[in-house]
Amino acid sequence: GNSVTQMEGPVTLSEEAFLTINCTYTATGYPSLFWYVQYPGEGLQLLLKATKADDKGSNKGFEATYRKETTSFHLEKGSVQVSDSAVYFCALSVSTGNQFYFGTGTSLTVIP
Amino acid sequence: KAGVTQTPRYLIKTRGQQVTLSCSPISGHRSVSWYQQTPGQGLQFLFEYFSETQRNKGNFPGRFSGRQFSNSRSEMNVSTLELGDSALYLCASSLGGNRETQYFGPGTRLLVL
């Protein structure tokens, strides 16, 4: 079947620290991969995506590379800010249409 | 372009009642998907509508239903509410192709008492 396994949280980092949130997936087909971010009281916002192997998605200093050989799509940022505090979701889409499979989410808190 | 809008933002209902949630997609988007978000189960896919037809369906009981209108607006209905239906219901829209980016609304928070 299709599923996403995400690193358990919560994660607490100091400002300017390096961030990695691990994400691995299982897919019956050839998926597109996404990272979404959810701020308190809001819906999900697309952070970045990749649609084929070895693609690197990037946005606002965040990066993730689609690794087909390890079925992974780890999220990284070199220097986090307090404003990055949110919940991060890894997701895949593989079927006809747009059914997304989400990971459980990783809560990130960045302290000054 | 205006984003995805959902109404109402908050709802309080009692067990046994029914509820209808509304979603207006981004202009030009023809696909609307619905998700349920709870602390225990995370984000779970309910169904997707494309051109007024249900194209995908998740593993939810028949009490959960939806429809899409010719202007792509969508409604979701939950009948005979249960306490466990308390959740944030998120709507997402996309152009309608496969494996596309979905754009989410702010959600409707439903509390069942």
Side-chain angles (χ1 to χ4, degrees), chain A residues 24-25 30 52-55 65-72:
Chain A
T24 57
Y25 67 88
Y30 194 47
K52 61 183 188 295
D54 300 326
D55 265 2
T65 301
Y66 188 141
R67 301 287 188 200
K68 189 178 179 186
E69 63 276 12
T70 54
T71 61
S72 65

Side-chain angles (χ1 to χ4, degrees), chain A residues 30 36 38 49 96-98 100, chain B residues 56 94 97-100 102:
Chain A
Y30 194 47
Y36 281 84
Q38 187 176 34
K49 70 175 185 180
T96 299
N98 283 304
F100 271 39
Chain B
N56 281 301
S94 66
N98 296 330
R99 305 182 300 147
E100 287 181 338
Q102 294 194 353

